[in-house]
Amino acid sequence: MLSALDGPLRFLLLSSFLIPLGSFMVLPFMSVFLHERLGMGLGTVGVVLAVASLVQFSGGIVGGALADRIGLRRTMLWALIIRTAGFAGLLSALRWPPLAVGALVLTCCGAALYLPANKAYLVHGVDDERRPAFLSAGNAALNAGMAVGPLVAGPFVLSSPGWLFVAVTALFVLVTAGHARLPPAAGQEQPGGRAAEQGLLAGVAVLPFAANALAFHLYFHFQHYLAVYAVEQASSAFYSLVLLLCFALVIVVQPLASGLIRRMSYASALTAGFAGLAAGMAVLAIGTRPALLAGGALITLGDIVLFLKNDLEALRRSPRSDAVVFGQQRLAAGLGACTSGVLGGQLYGLAEHAGSTGRFWLLAAAQCLVLPPVLLALRDRTVKQPHPHEDDEGALRPHDTDGRVPGR
């Protein structure tokens, strides 16, 4: 199915690999760079990274709205220009360290603006049956870049950061130039219009939004605290192996499973996804090396189902443009990641104080079992009160009066 992609979409998939490749040559090492190279205190570093993460995730809702106003291609171009400036700023920060904070925030602003427009361009004009394959291909490219970037850059972050920042900035200049040659997405390049005047959260698909926030809340228990736990139970090298396994599963499994995920009912996808998270968290509590690998794999498989199905369901339920829908889902992801950082830190501290960090993963697994039924109750309420432009099954009619064109 993906073999029929035209030149622009092939370039967009290549960019979906190159952009995270360049970004993850730098961003995973920012805490070390800011603390050891620029001399910032760890408390300050933590605040800077928390703000940057919130901007990168939740700012996606602004990116979606901007794409509605100025078009998908223009939004991607501006996002890449901003992000390129951010990486150039990191190079300048080697001479004047205070620039590093602003430069990091700039790169995160660029990421927030880019991703909703990128995903919307990728599925623009694509029928519902092929959308999961296109989205999963983009996700696979994204995860491949995230996996390779740290491996390439690790030896140079502290020894030769200047050359590293030059290389990443040059890569983004080339990618930006390539985006300038992309053809406009038909019907997406005219600014303004009634849809562009709606509020940022107008037309939000409530259940997919809430499910995405909960999925990211639970997943970021794994994302934030696995490093501390895995190094304690095994080693930093083994932690890297667990991450590589997780990336590989997304790259290989999600494209293969995309058709099955599309055909699953939403309730079944939520049940299977959160069950995978619960099982993975419980297995991590064992603390052995095989348990770390198995737990990471189960969590990743659960998220493969949840993240893709939530996006597909949000697109199906919302009358807004694809870019706005993806931006709303990014806002949900940011809110979930933020609550995970706050609550997860408290829970991990309590478990550590009690002398058994394995209990943290059992508490996380309990959340995976207790919280999703609330979403299913919300689903029952939304089924009783369908959108006025939906049929009895909740699917959008071909000619709904909210102005959403099928395939947009």
Side-chain angles (χ1 to χ4, degrees):
M1 185 177 295
L2 294 175
S3 60
L5 288 174
D6 58 18
L9 290 186
R10 288 177 185 273
F11 171 76
L12 207 62
L13 283 179
L14 176 62
S15 298
S16 295
F17 168 76
L18 293 176
I19 289 172
L21 170 69
S23 299
F24 273 69
M25 287 170 68
V26 174
L27 298 182
F29 304 103
M30 283 308 298
S31 58
V32 178
F33 177 74
L34 293 174
H35 178 57
E36 296 189 12
R37 182 77 184 199
L38 301 185
M40 291 186 182
L42 286 175
T44 303
V45 169
V47 171
V48 170
L49 295 181
V51 171
S53 298
L54 186 62
V55 168
Q56 181 166 340
F57 276 101
S58 299
I61 195 169
V62 178
L66 181 64
D68 240 16
R69 285 185 173 274
I70 69 173
L72 301 177
R73 183 186 60 174
R74 292 192 189 105
T75 300
M76 288 190 290
L77 273 174
W78 278 111
L80 288 170
I81 290 170
I82 291 170
R83 207 161 193 195
T84 303
F87 285 114
L90 288 175
L91 179 61
S92 301
L94 292 173
R95 292 184 174 275
W96 192 39
L99 277 178
V101 175
L104 177 61
V105 172
L106 268 183
T107 66
C108 292
C109 287
L113 295 177
Y114 180 83
L115 191 60
N118 168 277
K119 295 174 77 171
Y121 193 104
L122 187 63
V123 299
H124 180 74
V126 175
D127 59 71
D128 290 341
E129 184 175 345
R130 294 189 299 160
R131 282 186 164 204
F134 280 56
L135 285 175
S136 60
N139 290 337
L142 179 76
N143 278 271
M146 292 167 63
V148 174
L151 297 177
V152 173
F156 309 108
V157 170
L158 294 180
S159 62
S160 306
W163 289 109
L164 178 64
F165 294 153
V166 167
V168 172
T169 302
L171 175 63
F172 270 84
V173 168
L174 292 174
V175 171
T176 303
H179 278 69
R181 296 179 62 85
L182 284 175
Q188 284 287 330
E189 297 300 316
Q190 296 300 321
R194 186 172 66 87
E197 298 300 324
Q198 298 179 27
L200 294 178
L201 286 174
V204 67
V206 177
L207 180 55
F209 184 92
N212 213 43
L214 179 56
F216 271 83
H217 166 77
L218 296 170
Y219 173 73
F220 266 76
H221 282 60
F222 173 73
Q223 181 81 2
H224 284 314
Y225 304 107
L226 179 66
V228 179
Y229 183 71
V231 170
E232 172 190 304
Q233 302 296 326
S235 66
S236 58
F238 194 81
Y239 167 65
S240 299
L241 180 62
V242 175
L243 290 186
L244 284 175
L245 171 65
C246 295
F247 282 129
L249 285 173
V250 176
I251 294 166
V252 175
V253 173
Q254 191 175 72
L256 295 176
S258 60
L260 175 62
I261 294 171
R262 179 185 68 84
R263 292 189 296 272
M264 292 175 71
S265 70
Y266 193 34
S268 296
L270 291 178
T271 301
F274 285 117
L277 293 185
M281 300 287 186
V283 169
L284 285 179
I286 299 172
T288 63
R289 292 191 175 205
L292 291 174
L293 288 170
L298 287 168
I299 290 168
T300 302
L301 292 174
D303 282 328
I304 284 172
V305 176
L306 287 172
F307 294 164
L308 180 58
K309 191 64 175 182
N310 280 332
D311 277 353
L312 293 173
E313 195 68 12
L315 289 170
R316 187 179 72 84
R317 293 182 179 219
S318 176
R320 301 297 298 276
S321 70
D322 291 348
V324 169
V325 172
F326 287 130
Q328 291 171 343
Q329 291 296 95
R330 288 288 287 180
L331 173 62
L335 295 175
C338 185
T339 60
S340 176
V342 175
L343 178 62
Q346 296 297 320
L347 291 177
Y348 199 93
L350 289 173
E352 190 174 46
H353 183 71
S356 176
T357 49
R359 294 181 184 178
F360 167 78
W361 301 107
L362 294 177
L363 290 171
Q367 291 184 67
C368 297
L369 296 175
V370 171
L371 297 178
V374 177
L375 290 177
L376 296 181
L378 178 61
R379 171 183 175 271
D380 292 337
R381 289 181 58 193
T382 57
V383 168
K384 292 176 183 177
Q385 296 179 333
H387 189 280
H389 302 296
E390 292 177 355
D391 57 26
D392 292 338
E393 297 298 321
L396 288 170
R397 294 175 180 172
H399 303 290
D400 72 69
T401 55
D402 279 346
R404 180 186 175 94
V405 179
R408 287 272 292 281

